[in-house]
Amino acid sequence: MKKKTVVMLWVGSLALALIIGYGSRPTLAQDSSAGQSTGAEKLPADVFPDTRNRSPRAIRDEMLNDEDKAAFDLAVSKGNVAYSGWNGIRLHIPAVHTDYRNAIQTLDKETGDSRYQNLAMIIGARFADDDYDWNNHVKASEKVLPRETVEVLKDGKDTTGLDEKDATLIQIGREMFAKKNVSSKTFADAERLFGRRKTYSLIQTMIFFNGSGYLLHAYDQHLAPGETHSLTNP
């Protein structure tokens, strides 16, 4: 009788353990899936969700005078691009926003070739470790700029075998931003390949995007959901 009681107690304990175990499985699965769902980036307390940086979205009411308001109205008439990234940060001083927008549009026209202009842009972004502009302009240049050139620039690889103009622009960027001095040979190669005026515009485009990249760092610009951080130190 005692033996039968012990067996019954053992069977009852096993059944209870199985019930508890199976009952806890949905909870464990929920905990696991909850952990995976936290992959969405949590923004720092000082970053605004709509701009994804430390600068709130500029509004007309903050403008100080009629001149500011007129410049603001003109800027936002161009569409949402006025509020994005460094455009949106500069929009708090509309005249500065307008000057920078006019400058890059002038440089675009001066270069007159989207392949090399986009390359100059991503060179500037690369040496500021600016994923925001890098991602945007790598995508924008898909049809005009070879992906091999992009990878060589991104990974700091040897430029041997690239189009000569691509290689020369990358070399200018490496010397100007990393070594802080462009050699006479590299500069002469650029003027030979692009001419004096286009060399001006391409170098200034690199500097424009490099400086804009550091502006984004100061305001802790975060990428849009789903965007990836492509860059490490060159």
Side-chain angles (χ1 to χ4, degrees):
M1 182 70 180
K2 188 181 289 186
K3 185 176 180 181
K4 184 176 180 181
T5 303
V6 171
V7 171
M8 289 178 67
L9 287 172
W10 181 83
V11 171
S13 298
L14 180 60
L16 181 62
L18 289 171
I19 291 168
I20 293 171
Y22 277 103
S24 67
R25 286 179 70 185
T27 303
L28 291 171
Q30 288 168 9
D31 289 346
S32 175
S33 65
Q36 292 172 0
S37 70
T38 59
E41 182 183 23
K42 183 178 180 181
L43 297 175
D46 64 344
V47 168
F48 292 85
D50 53 348
T51 62
R52 300 185 71 79
N53 62 48
R54 291 175 175 143
S55 175
R57 186 178 172 96
I59 58 174
R60 195 175 192 273
D61 288 349
E62 75 182 80
M63 300 303 133
L64 299 178
N65 50 50
D66 289 343
E67 184 179 357
D68 263 8
K69 289 176 181 178
F72 179 86
D73 291 343
L74 178 62
V76 300
S77 71
K78 309 296 182 183
N80 284 334
V81 67
Y83 295 103
S84 64
W86 36 259
N87 278 322
I89 296 169
R90 290 174 176 140
L91 187 56
H92 289 277
I93 306 177
V96 172
H97 170 101
T98 300
D99 286 346
Y100 271 88
R101 288 290 299 164
N102 288 343
I104 193 59
Q105 287 170 1
T106 298
L107 292 171
D108 285 346
K109 291 176 183 177
E110 286 290 337
T111 300
D113 188 318
S114 60
R115 171 175 177 155
Y116 300 113
Q117 185 69 349
N118 272 290
L119 179 54
M121 291 172 178
I122 65 171
I123 288 170
R126 179 68 189 90
F127 286 93
D129 286 333
D130 168 17
D131 285 294
Y132 183 89
D133 282 313
W134 174 271
N135 288 351
N136 287 340
H137 289 282
V138 165
K139 289 175 185 174
S141 65
E142 280 180 344
K143 294 183 178 179
V144 295
L145 185 62
R147 299 299 90 175
E148 181 187 6
T149 296
V150 173
E151 291 303 309
V152 166
L153 172 60
K154 180 171 77 72
D155 296 332
K157 295 177 182 176
D158 194 305
T159 58
T160 302
L162 292 185
D163 169 86
E164 188 180 10
K165 289 184 176 181
D166 290 355
T168 299
L169 287 181
I170 291 173
Q171 190 61 28
I172 285 179
R174 288 174 175 174
E175 293 181 12
M176 178 167 61
F177 295 121
K179 296 183 178 180
K180 308 297 187 287
N181 182 46
V182 177
S183 69
S184 296
K185 179 185 182 307
T186 301
F187 191 82
D189 285 343
E191 290 204 329
R192 171 176 59 82
L193 292 167
F194 294 102
R196 178 159 292 175
R197 193 174 178 101
K198 282 190 179 180
T199 298
Y200 281 136
S201 65
L202 288 165
I203 289 175
Q204 289 185 76
T205 297
M206 293 181 201
I207 294 168
F208 180 103
F209 274 82
N210 189 259
S212 294
Y214 281 106
L215 178 63
L216 294 179
H217 288 322
Y219 283 86
D220 195 18
Q221 179 71 55
H222 286 249
L223 301 179
E227 289 283 332
T228 58
H229 291 275
S230 305
L231 302 177
T232 55
N233 290 328

